[in-house]
Amino acid sequence: MQQQSGICQVFAHRGASREAMENTRAAFEHALLYAIDGIETDVQLSRDEVAVLWHDESLDKIGLAGQHIDDFDLAQLETLNFPQTGDKGIMTLKTFLNDYNQHCRLLIEVKNHDREPVIRHEIKMRRVINLIKEVSGSRTADRLLVSSFNLQSLVYAHQQGCDTPLVCNIDDHQTIADVQQTLNDCTFLYGFCLPIALLDQHLTDLLRAHYKRIIVYTCNTDDQINKALQLGVDILISDVPDKAIEMRNARPGGA
């Protein structure tokens, strides 16, 4: 069985999302004030197929209930009142990669919705892969990761010859049996990103036996963080990365 690859890394969930609006420059800059190892963010497409950072399916958080990112072209999105400091409107993935690629590792979650046609899922994944290549060239190794809850999007990326490590996100309603089936069907995966409540020693051992990296979300309480650290995960995603770093470093050999 493969052992843990090293000290658990702490990623800021959508930046320091408890200190500034998530997935904004302010949140990312706050996160970099801590000794984080990486930042996790979310990508969707504008109507004119520009990759932008936004998590939710709707724009309720900025007062546009029932409307979506892909109801607007990028130029329109840039005029909307996104509560963001020091930048105009929504951030594009290209800007994010250019500005933060040299600071830490980046985990880019490609968000898909059932209302979207499959072709939009494929375009979205191609945009992400191509931007990573454009910004980082051949130097990505495992410094940049791409994840999705949509397994078919990851399969599509693999079929397109994607050399960025691909991570399968597991939802909290899924089971160990679902993980096992995905392990059997998609051996190309770099790792799995799982809810901390689902992960236990049995599942940890299963993933290690298949040489997969283990990422967990979203670890905010002391119990959640301690569980992730005790199970020896590779990456811990947290809304409170400063607390997670402090708890990790307090453990023997943690710093």
Side-chain angles (χ1 to χ4, degrees), residues 32-155:
L32 290 175
L33 296 176
Y34 308 119
I36 58 169
D37 301 290
I39 294 172
E40 183 269 353
T41 192
D42 309 281
V43 171
Q44 300 193 49
L45 282 187
S46 63
R47 183 168 55 193
D48 52 345
E49 300 178 357
V50 178
V52 296
L53 307 190
W54 187 254
H55 175 271
D56 296 357
E57 182 170 0
S58 75
L59 292 172
D60 292 11
K61 285 180 180 174
I62 62 166
L64 296 174
Q67 294 187 275
H68 310 98
I69 285 292
D70 55 10
D71 290 330
F72 301 91
D73 293 339
L74 176 62
Q76 294 172 305
L77 290 173
E78 290 179 333
T79 68
L80 298 180
N81 183 29
F82 287 87
Q84 185 165 336
T85 300
D87 193 19
K88 63 174 185 177
I90 198 166
M91 183 179 285
T92 66
L93 176 60
K94 184 173 183 178
T95 296
F96 175 74
L97 290 172
N98 278 323
D99 291 357
Y100 297 99
N101 179 42
Q102 300 302 317
H103 289 284
C104 61
R105 297 180 75 192
L106 305 176
L107 172 57
I108 300 162
E109 181 187 338
V110 180
K111 305 294 290 186
N112 290 319
H113 305 293
D114 292 340
R115 63 181 175 76
E116 296 176 308
V118 173
I119 187 63
R120 286 278 295 188
H121 296 178
E122 294 176 352
I123 292 169
K124 199 178 304 182
M125 186 60 79
R126 288 202 305 272
R127 292 285 187 271
V128 170
I129 293 169
N130 289 339
L131 280 169
I132 289 174
K133 288 181 178 178
E134 177 184 329
V135 171
S136 304
S138 60
R139 304 184 304 278
T140 62
D142 65 350
R143 184 171 176 82
L144 282 83
L145 309 174
V146 170
S147 74
S148 180
F149 284 98
N150 187 306
L151 185 58
Q152 288 309 306
S153 286
L154 297 173
V155 171

Side-chain angles (χ1 to χ4, degrees), residues 151-152 155 181-190 192 212:
L151 185 58
Q152 288 309 306
V155 171
Q181 188 63 56
T182 303
L183 282 167
N184 295 341
D185 295 343
C186 301
T187 57
F188 63 85
L189 289 169
Y190 174 84
F192 286 75
K212 303 303 178 186

